[in-house]
Amino acid sequence: MAIGSLYHTFQRYRTLQTDKISALPIVILMPHSACNCKCVMCDIWKGNHNLKQLTERDVEALMDSLKRLGTRQVVMSGGEALLNPNFFSFCDILRRGNIRITLLSTGLSLHRHAARLIGSVDDIIISLDGDERLHDSIRNVPGAFRKLKEGVASLHALKPSFRVTGRSVIHRLNFRHWPAIIEAGAAMGLDQLSFLPADVSSEAFNRAQPWDEPRQHEILPGLEELPELMEIIRQIIRDQAARFDSSFIAESPAKLARIGEYYAAFYGLNPFPYKKCNAPWVSAVVEADGTVRPCFFHAPLGNIHENSLAAILNSEKAVGFRKSLDMDADPTCVKCVCYLNLSPRS
């Protein structure tokens, strides 16, 4: 192992032991607050009229903290990051710091930006909600699936080895089409496809407050639908063995089954599945207005327009948050759908 890697690993262990961030492998940036989809399970698009976005000056100012904390990867999230007119300038700034860039995207504008994306980001993760009809319906954008498919094809035409993976949120409106989602992702040429349940309980995704129960049940599978959901999961595990073996389906069969267990937990049929997560110790989220969070779901710690990222993450408030966080009992963590766990050696 190289000296630099040994030092980074040491700093990662130090962070876990002291709750003070000495190394921060991943930072999630949200360059633009708006989105070009109107997904039924997300409220980000409802804030499109109140536009917020990061500037080149913001990203330049972040570089001192990213360098100091040894950040290796920046994930461009949103909203839709490509809506920021300075997106590619951000990539240039980050690349000068030898930082790997991942783009999370709706995929609607991949075709238009394909040539620049190939040279600016290392990989792309797109959202996939169903076959063509269902995807367009859930996204509330006519032609969304076609544009997504064209974008992936354009990227692979320019660079066949360029990695494009998919992420699919499984919920009441699409769980019966789960096998078709797998086939659509394979036909599109995705390198991998991952699945997660829908977040219906947090204030993330531009919710002024958590959804009330009627709104939750628009997305939650109903109690009477759970046996059908469980059977579909068993069918996928039985019929898709080759795609599990090849890792085209990112989750193991056991992790896939936890999606059913997650929804069953809302009805008290079992506990919420255990999740091993160290996101607040290995990552941070910087939102389009500069707000810094320890992850998507927990409360803000500060704002980069008032202090540096490193200072915010090691403030008394932030260190105290990490010291007191009991992930096995914290209601936000217990119901979390999108968790991260990095070994200090990774």
Side-chain angles (χ1 to χ4, degrees), residues 16-35:
L16 294 174
Q17 291 169 352
T18 65
D19 296 302
K20 184 175 181 180
I21 302 294
S22 300
L24 189 72
I26 299 175
V27 170
I28 297 96
L29 294 186
M30 301 170 70
H32 200 275
S33 65
C35 190

Side-chain angles (χ1 to χ4, degrees), residues 11 156 163 332:
Q11 295 291 67
H156 284 155
R163 185 168 174 81
T332 297

